[in-house]
Amino acid sequence: MENTLFTVNNVWMMICTALVFLMHLGFSLLEIGLTRQKNTINILFKNVFIISIGMVLYALVGFNLMYPGTFMAGVLPNYFIDLFGLSIPENGLTAEYANGGYTYWTDFLFQGMFAATAATIVSGAVAERIKLGAFMVFTIIYVGFVYPIAGSWKWGSGWLDRLGFYDFAGSTLVHSVGGWAALIAVWLLGARIGKFKKDGSIGVIPGHNMPFATTGVFLLWLGWFGFNGGSVLSANPAATSLVLVTTCLAAATGGLSAFLVSLLKYKQYDLSMFLNGILGGLVGITAGADVMSVTDAIVIGAIAGVLIVVGVAFIDKLKLDDPVGAIAVHLICGIWGTLAVGIFGKLAGWEQLSNQFIGVVSIGAFCVISSYTIIKTLKITVGIRVSKIEEQEGLDMHEHGMDAYPDFGLNQH
């Protein structure tokens, strides 16, 4: 019976791993859908690079940085042995590992999928004007070192974990980590040509394929069942079913809330707001999906939807150009979801809210300093922005020498 339960748990975790992997396709379609077709290949290339380099880096250094084992205990002679590469423990393939929830290899693969997500968040925010080489260097450093160090503070039994900070599946440790970097990158990079006009008005730069964007969001919603459901770290029926319910309800109410608020504010049925509202609800529930009731999830999602509409407008007011709304979705709603753990659900209380606030601020400070240092250094040395002519004609032809839709004879600028 024990071996059967161990097998069921491990199979569920592998299914969740596949669902999280599918989210990268969702991000790709969302990003290309909300941007112009002349940059489609460039965005797809970045997303393929992120998951590929992310998995390799996580195998070489990230996994052991995030879950440090003996080297953090001061075993200096074993430092490099423990840090580089994957070294399976004696019980790594048995039910003794992780309380029978999964094997060591499943553990690595599931966590590795999370690691690449942080850089994917940045990809959408900087779309259409960042140099591909500079973005690749940033991704290597951020995914390889910054993300796992931040994650180790909680998930690696670090100081935030001992403090009592709670982040079930990563509203802060994944989404805000990517969101803070996106904010700094957008600030240092500058807006796309034509986004903010000299008279102070905001230029509308529509995406080229809303069906792609919509498909991307549905894929992300599906993938989130693995993102949050797998974070139970077993196939426990009660815990897993609750997490899937709260996740789904927060997504639905986030979308409905964003669409209604944007309708009242702009007098239009805005599909992009509806889509980002769904994502905002998902990000918002991620920190506490396992400790919330149905009502809690609905309220958290609804507030996240409002924050999407307000957040997008606020980002525009600051003259920050985020083509896909990544900062509002992942940073603002990530902060909201993390703080919500101290306001709603089983852990609610002033002490928990204080712990959540400390976690948000400390992770935020670390990510802001790290991302600023990386991107500012790249800006000074190799440059991070493409030339004016490259931006106007499209990165696909200039950096990749091809057109995403050659058979249609289209060249939308």
Side-chain angles (χ1 to χ4, degrees):
M1 182 64 183
E2 182 180 345
N3 286 334
T4 301
L5 181 59
F6 173 51
T7 300
V8 169
N9 285 337
N10 193 63
V11 169
W12 167 246
M13 291 299 296
M14 288 191 288
I15 292 171
C16 290
T17 299
L19 288 171
V20 179
F21 176 80
L22 192 63
M23 292 175 73
H24 291 278
L25 174 58
F27 277 119
S28 299
L29 290 174
L30 175 64
E31 289 173 27
I32 65 173
L34 294 179
T35 53
R36 291 165 291 184
Q37 71 177 55
K38 63 184 179 180
N39 300 307
T40 298
I41 292 171
N42 183 260
I43 292 169
L44 293 175
F45 189 97
K46 286 190 293 181
N47 279 275
V48 173
F49 175 78
I50 287 166
I51 184 64
S52 300
I53 195 66
M55 291 308 301
V56 173
L57 288 169
Y58 205 65
L60 293 177
V61 294
F63 188 51
N64 287 328
L65 270 178
M66 199 159 176
Y67 302 94
T70 58
F71 83 83
M72 281 296 216
V75 187
L76 191 59
N78 292 331
Y79 179 89
F80 290 102
I81 296 174
D82 289 342
L83 179 57
F84 292 102
L86 299 175
S87 180
I88 188 167
E90 290 183 7
N91 65 344
L93 300 179
T94 71
E96 295 178 10
Y97 184 82
N99 298 316
Y102 43 85
T103 69
Y104 175 84
W105 296 126
T106 302
D107 188 10
F108 157 72
L109 202 57
F110 180 70
Q111 301 299 340
M113 293 302 166
F114 275 58
T117 303
T120 303
I121 292 165
V122 183
S123 169
V126 300
E128 303 201 283
R129 75 273 200 205
I130 194 169
K131 286 184 177 180
L132 182 58
F135 178 80
M136 292 165 72
V137 172
F138 164 79
T139 299
I140 289 170
I141 301 172
Y142 207 70
V143 174
F145 299 97
V146 177
Y147 168 78
I149 290 172
S152 74
W153 293 357
K154 164 60 184 175
W155 291 340
S157 301
W159 72 274
L160 280 178
D161 186 56
R162 294 190 293 273
L163 176 71
F165 173 73
Y166 195 81
D167 192 355
F168 173 64
S171 286
T172 282
L173 296 176
V174 178
H175 296 284
S176 286
V177 165
W180 285 116
L183 177 65
I184 297 301
V186 166
W187 172 48
L188 291 175
L189 193 58
R192 291 169 294 172
I193 297 171
K195 177 62 180 178
F196 301 111
K197 300 180 180 179
K198 292 181 180 179
D199 62 3
S201 63
I202 299 172
V204 177
I205 305 178
H208 85 280
N209 198 316
M210 289 308 293
F212 276 177
T214 304
T215 303
V217 169
F218 275 116
L219 286 170
L220 286 166
W221 193 341
L222 173 63
W224 233 287
F225 289 128
F227 197 90
N228 286 0
S231 295
V232 174
L233 304 181
S234 75
N236 180 287
T240 302
S241 56
L242 172 65
V243 165
L244 297 186
V245 167
T246 57
T247 297
C248 195
L249 287 173
T253 52
L256 290 169
S257 174
F259 129 65
L260 288 172
V261 172
S262 64
L263 177 62
L264 291 172
K265 184 175 177 64
Y266 301 111
K267 308 298 187 250
Q268 289 183 326
Y269 294 93
D270 191 331
L271 176 59
S272 64
M273 283 293 187
F274 205 151
L275 297 176
N276 272 335
I278 290 170
L279 297 180
L282 288 165
V283 172
I285 197 62
T286 292
D290 63 328
V291 296
M292 299 299 172
S293 69
V294 166
T295 307
D296 294 332
I298 289 173
V299 174
I300 290 170
I303 294 174
V306 175
L307 289 174
I308 288 297
V309 180
V310 174
V312 168
F314 180 66
I315 296 299
D316 281 344
K317 190 173 183 179
L318 293 177
K319 296 293 188 289
L320 297 172
D321 182 13
D322 178 2
V324 302
I327 297 171
V329 169
H330 299 281
L331 177 56
I332 294 176
C333 289
I335 292 171
W336 159 240
T338 306
L339 296 177
V341 173
I343 303 171
F344 301 96
K346 297 177 182 178
L347 303 179
W350 287 110
E351 183 179 356
Q352 187 64 50
L353 183 59
S354 174
N355 292 339
Q356 299 303 102
F357 181 78
I358 292 170
V360 167
V361 172
S362 59
I363 294 289
F366 176 63
C367 291
V368 165
I369 293 170
S370 299
S371 56
Y372 179 84
T373 302
I374 298 166
I375 299 169
K376 186 67 173 181
T377 300
L378 288 170
K379 185 174 184 177
I380 294 171
T381 54
V382 298
I384 58 175
R385 177 115 188 197
V386 299
S387 67
K388 183 177 180 179
I389 190 68
E390 288 174 323
E391 182 177 345
Q392 290 175 330
E393 295 183 354
L395 303 185
D396 287 0
M397 293 306 299
H398 280 274
E399 292 203 314
H400 305 276
M402 60 180 72
D403 188 344
Y405 307 100
D407 294 338
F408 293 94
L410 300 173
N411 192 21
Q412 178 184 335
H413 292 288

